Amino acid sequence: MHPGTGIPPSPSVDPVQALYEAHHSWLVARLRRKLGCAWDAADLAQNTFVRVLGTQRQQLQELLEPRAYLTTIAQRLLSNHLRRRQIERAYLDALALLPEPVAPPPDAQLMVLETLVAIDRLLGGLPVVARKAFLLWRLEDLTQEEIAQQLGISRTSVRRHLAAAAERCYFADQA
């Protein structure tokens, strides 16, 4: 066995299976403590191992700290999960303020939520002011001058932020 992994070096034993068998229940328990929900914990643990499937088998056999590796993957998935939940809550709160006949049907709500999550993911790496400028420009249809006034920055800064956001959106398909 490799030190610390519990994964036998035998090529006949799949390292993903060995990693799963050795650490799955530990990971589910860890995620359940963080989330307080057994179902979400099981889903995130499963998604963690789905990500592990994309790892080269040789790398898995050479892992010295498999729990640290699994924790890193699971933590990223957990952050995405919590961020999505936050966006969903904000969207549902906004929907609750609408009169019922104005609220979109459930399938449209899901589509809007998926779009919001995608936009959040796209703009996530930008500075807050750049995200605000882009959203004011695209969603509120404000001019660059109006955005500059609202955010208290120069028009040149607005132009720079809009260009950075547009570039991120444009090249997202090519990444």
Side-chain angles (χ1 to χ4, degrees):
M1 289 211 210
H2 291 282
T5 64
I7 301 174
S10 166
S12 65
V13 175
D14 180 29
V16 175
Q17 179 183 350
L19 193 64
Y20 185 91
E21 289 172 356
H23 303 288
H24 178 264
S25 59
W26 165 82
L27 184 60
V28 171
R30 178 181 174 87
L31 290 168
R32 188 174 42 240
R33 281 191 307 274
K34 287 185 178 248
L35 289 165
C37 175
W39 298 106
D40 287 345
D43 284 346
L44 283 175
Q46 201 64 28
N47 288 341
T48 299
F49 283 99
V50 167
R51 294 278 171 97
V52 168
L53 285 171
T55 306
Q56 291 183 358
R57 300 307 193 237
Q58 183 65 33
Q59 285 179 308
L60 292 175
Q61 288 178 328
E62 295 172 358
L63 278 177
L64 296 176
E65 298 292 334
R67 288 188 174 184
Y69 176 71
L70 292 171
T71 298
T72 300
I73 295 171
Q75 189 60 45
R76 289 179 184 148
L77 291 170
L78 177 62
S79 294
N80 290 341
H81 173 78
L82 295 175
R83 180 74 180 142
R84 180 188 170 90
R85 207 188 264 172
Q86 183 182 27
I87 292 169
E88 186 174 357
R89 246 185 262 119
Y91 177 62
L92 292 174
D93 289 347
L95 278 179
L97 298 175
L98 294 175
E100 193 154 331
V102 177
D107 58 332
Q109 290 178 22
L110 180 61
M111 192 166 55
V112 169
L113 179 61
E114 292 297 326
T115 303
L116 289 171
V117 169
I119 290 169
D120 180 65
R121 211 175 289 129
L122 268 177
L123 302 179
L126 293 173
V128 172
V129 70
R131 285 186 298 223
K132 285 182 180 178
F134 185 75
L135 292 173
L136 288 170
W137 180 56
R138 297 303 294 170
L139 300 178
E140 302 291 328
D141 206 26
L142 297 182
T143 66
Q144 291 180 11
E145 185 64 39
E146 292 168 327
I147 294 168
Q149 288 173 354
Q150 187 164 341
L151 297 179
I153 59 176
S154 69
R155 258 184 96 208
T156 304
S157 293
V158 170
R159 221 174 291 122
R160 186 172 31 88
H161 291 313
L162 293 179
E167 179 181 357
R168 183 173 285 254
C169 291
Y170 178 75
F171 289 112
D173 289 340
Q174 299 173 10

